[in-house]
Amino acid sequence: MAKIGKRTRAAREAFAGKEDLTVEEAVSLIKANATAKFDETIEIAMNLGVDPRHADQMVRGVVGLPNGTGKTMRVAVFARGAKAEEAEKAGADIVGAEDLMETVQSGKIDFDRCIATPDMMPIVGRLGKVLGPRNLMPNPKVGTVTMDVADAVKAAKGGEVQFKAEKGGVVHAGVGKLSFDEAKLVENIRAFVGAVSKAKPTGSKGTYMKKINLSSTMGPGVSVAVENATAE
């Protein structure tokens, strides 16, 4: 059995017996016990009462976190002509068409968000097997297939977070950095939970939000009371 380090043991002891906390209590506990030598991401995992295998139970959406994610987002845009220029001026890191498709097909994916104008989708569609598993496939439902490429690029760069239910009905995302003020993290978390709440699908039956868990990248997780996280 692997030996548990002193810092890990101390963190686990600090979290022992603590569950269903308020968002504020959970954030304070996580910040007080994070010991990694880098600026950890505060992560949220939500267990939902849905089965994503059914179309009417898929949970998917996007939310602009009020205080950003703290992460530098690299954005790629599939566009031509004036729209390509518009994307570049808005701050896109990579802009292209067939050339960008070939780059992605070669296995080089040096971006965190992919945006495309509608006329580019026949090209982007060929990349489904590459971009799909990485959750990078442009989709009009989350605003990444659009003619307003400038706004889409700025939103991605400004702290917009996409979410999608995985197998088992779990939604997972980063909602800020450990270095953020507690109040800013709390605000981001409530904004994210609110967006997932509004994305409740028509096919969801019974309890929609079953459990919410918060953690830092290298730290233990702690459960948050659902009723507190969803409170206005």
Side-chain angles (χ1 to χ4, degrees):
M1 183 180 291
K3 185 178 180 180
I4 299 176
K6 291 182 179 179
R7 291 187 298 180
T8 300
R9 188 184 301 113
R12 289 183 179 179
E13 290 175 354
F15 280 67
K18 295 180 180 179
E19 56 184 24
D20 292 335
L21 306 182
T22 65
V23 176
E24 291 82 0
E25 290 171 339
V27 168
S28 180
L29 180 65
I30 290 169
K31 283 178 68 69
N33 291 279
T35 57
K37 295 180 180 179
F38 63 93
D39 193 8
E40 298 178 65
T41 296
I42 301 300
E43 301 176 0
I44 186 170
M46 302 176 66
N47 292 70
L48 307 178
V50 298
D51 185 347
R53 293 176 297 179
H54 300 288
D56 66 345
Q57 293 188 49
M58 171 52 71
V59 176
R60 184 169 193 166
V62 62
V63 56
L65 298 182
N67 301 297
T69 63
K71 177 182 177 181
T72 299
M73 184 73 69
R74 288 185 59 81
V75 179
V77 178
F78 282 89
R80 287 195 180 98
K83 288 299 175 181
E85 293 178 6
E86 189 178 311
E88 290 176 348
K89 290 180 180 178
D93 300 280
I94 307 168
V95 181
E98 286 84 0
D99 56 334
L100 180 52
M101 177 190 71
E102 292 173 0
T103 298
V104 173
Q105 286 178 327
S106 72
K108 186 177 181 181
I109 304 176
D110 192 20
F111 52 85
D112 309 295
R113 180 71 57 83
C114 187
I115 297 165
T117 53
D119 59 300
M120 288 285 100
M121 288 312 293
I123 291 176
V124 180
R126 302 178 200 174
L127 303 172
K129 291 183 179 180
V130 181
L131 298 178
R134 294 173 172 80
N135 200 27
L136 290 172
M137 192 69 181
N139 189 310
K141 292 183 179 179
V142 293
T144 48
V145 177
T146 176
M147 290 299 289
D148 297 324
V149 291
D151 286 344
V153 170
K154 291 175 183 177
K157 291 279 190 178
E160 188 178 74
V161 173
Q162 294 181 5
F163 58 86
K164 180 181 179 182
E166 305 167 358
K167 289 183 179 180
V170 176
V171 169
H172 177 269
V175 289
K177 290 291 185 179
L178 190 69
S179 58
F180 283 19
D181 291 341
E182 289 187 16
K184 290 184 177 180
L185 285 170
V186 169
E187 192 176 7
N188 276 3
I189 292 165
R190 291 194 185 282
F192 185 86
V193 173
V196 174
S197 177
K198 291 177 182 177
K200 180 179 180 180
T202 57
S204 175
K205 305 298 181 183
T207 303
Y208 176 49
M209 290 190 183
K210 291 185 173 182
K211 188 175 182 180
I212 298 174
N213 191 276
L214 292 174
S215 67
S216 61
T217 304
M218 304 298 290
V222 61
S223 62
V224 173
V226 174
E227 62 271 19
N228 177 266
T230 55
E232 292 295 335

